[in-house]
Amino acid sequence: GRVMRLKPRHNPDVNDFWMCDEGRYNYHFIDENRIQSPQYINDLIGWDKAIDLIARDIRSLKESGRQERIGVIASAQLTNEDLFTLRKLFRDTLNVAHITFKMPAQQGTSDDFLIKADKNPNTAGAEAILGESMDVNALLEKAKAGQIDLLYVFGQDLVKSFGKETVVQVAKQVKLFVYQGSNINETCNYAHVILPSSVYAEKDGTFTNFQGRVQRISPAFLPIAESKGDWDILVMLALGLGTALPYKHSSAIFSDLAMNVGAFAELNYEKIGDEGQLFKK
């Protein structure tokens, strides 16, 4: 097994040397209950087949002009680079209208200092990159009403947030339910295709904290088993759809992001450095 002890990085602008217990003791999920391989219904399949299955359904919806029947539920746990690649593929290339990440407010502990009720590391980044959107609940209602054929979910445990009954109904109504995430949860039981993505400790990229400070993360490990970075998977899917997204490294995605999203203008990995940089609100 891989052993890891999380230590706070010194950053006088964010937390000095302080680290909350929640952060220090909450990292076991890096290896526990990881999704190891792509799956279709009950079969383990290769990446090629998984991408092919999804691409086939997206292609047929796109070719018949039914992009409004595709729904994407992103996550504020994704890096800025993941979210921008998602935007490039689903919004810019496929013209998907229903892209959301806004979950109902979770009851979380908060204080006036660093612990926020919102436990997502990248809510500010997701808002800047994906903009205002319908909330997840509204999209699930559409799916339950039979108005969504393909639902693509990134890392959100819908059962935990909306209850089993809702997810059972959604899974019955949609033709293809894709779940891309790193850890096995209840929602996986209802997805048709499951894609294993890497966790933050295996990623290179950036998050934007609640102050609007863009901070780098670097991989401590290689992705476990057959898991891949979220943006890597999206680049593969784009290729399967006959579109090349020109990304080989997260820094290339960040350059594109900085050119296209005002909040990130003039930033790059060098400027962000170890201590992060505030983006333009």
Side-chain angles (χ1 to χ4, degrees):
R2 306 183 295 176
V3 178
M4 176 171 175
R5 176 164 175 262
L6 287 191
K7 288 195 298 214
R9 181 164 57 183
H10 179 244
N11 187 341
D13 293 321
V14 180
N15 60 353
D16 237 351
F17 270 117
W18 183 85
M19 183 176 185
C20 66
D21 289 343
E22 233 176 317
R24 189 179 293 281
Y25 297 114
N26 203 10
Y27 63 80
H28 297 289
F29 82 90
I30 289 169
D31 278 349
E32 275 171 21
N33 295 325
R34 288 290 299 275
I35 301 168
Q36 306 263 342
S37 154
Q39 236 172 293
Y40 179 57
I41 317 291
N42 294 317
D43 296 326
L44 297 181
I45 56 174
W47 273 108
D48 287 354
K49 182 162 186 206
I51 294 295
D52 211 41
L53 277 164
I54 302 164
R56 197 179 57 199
D57 279 26
I58 291 177
R59 205 180 296 114
S60 85
L61 287 167
K62 186 175 188 237
E63 283 167 3
S64 55
R66 289 178 296 161
Q67 288 97 318
E68 82 287 346
R69 300 190 68 84
I70 299 173
V72 178
I73 300 177
S75 162
Q77 301 265 339
L78 294 172
T79 63
N80 291 315
E81 292 77 4
D82 295 330
L83 289 161
F84 187 67
T85 308
L86 183 155
R87 171 178 140 160
K88 288 285 278 194
L89 177 58
F90 289 108
R91 183 176 294 165
D92 302 348
T93 307
L94 297 170
N95 299 321
V96 171
H98 306 312
I99 302 173
T100 179
F101 69 95
K102 291 199 162 61
M103 297 293 278
Q106 297 286 336
Q107 289 306 303
T109 51
S110 66
D111 62 13
D112 293 331
F113 179 43
L114 279 178
I115 300 177
K116 296 283 159 215
D118 178 0
K119 298 294 179 237
N120 291 306
N122 203 20
T123 298
E127 282 167 352
I129 294 164
L130 297 179
E132 288 304 308
S133 58
M134 68 191 324
D135 68 4
V136 170
N137 206 26
L139 181 52
L140 293 179
E141 286 305 313
K142 267 186 165 317
K144 284 198 318 200
Q147 294 165 10
I148 299 291
D149 285 334
L150 189 145
L151 184 65
Y152 200 131
V153 178
F154 290 81
Q156 306 266 27
D157 186 356
L158 301 179
V159 172
K160 190 175 167 189
S161 299
F162 300 98
K164 187 171 152 182
E165 196 43 50
T166 290
V167 181
V168 168
Q169 284 181 288
V170 166
K172 268 196 196 131
Q173 289 287 354
V174 302
K175 293 193 172 69
L176 192 68
F177 181 176
V178 180
Y179 180 82
Q180 179 169 317
S182 49
N183 299 76
I184 297 161
N185 59 37
E186 288 286 313
T187 302
C188 297
N189 294 331
Y190 305 101
H192 305 135
V193 179
I194 297 173
L195 304 176
S197 63
S198 45
V199 293
Y200 71 90
E202 300 160 346
K203 285 185 172 190
D204 185 29
T206 58
F207 287 124
T208 307
N209 77 2
F210 63 92
Q211 301 161 315
R213 181 176 294 278
V214 183
Q215 294 174 292
R216 280 294 305 275
I217 56 165
S218 297
F221 304 119
L222 288 170
I224 204 168
E226 287 186 60
S227 65
K228 294 180 184 293
D230 284 282
W231 67 258
D232 289 291
I233 298 170
L234 291 169
V235 166
M236 284 167 63
L237 179 56
L239 270 179
L241 289 161
T243 302
L245 292 178
Y247 304 140
K248 299 270 189 291
H249 303 285
S250 54
S251 56
I253 305 174
F254 195 87
S255 305
D256 206 4
L257 167 60
M259 285 193 296
N260 284 283
V261 180
F264 295 88
E266 292 162 39
L267 287 182
N268 57 44
Y269 279 5
E270 235 143 53
K271 269 190 196 163
I272 293 165
D274 280 347
E275 302 206 339
Q277 285 284 324
L278 287 171
F279 75 10
K280 299 180 175 71
K281 297 240 173 159

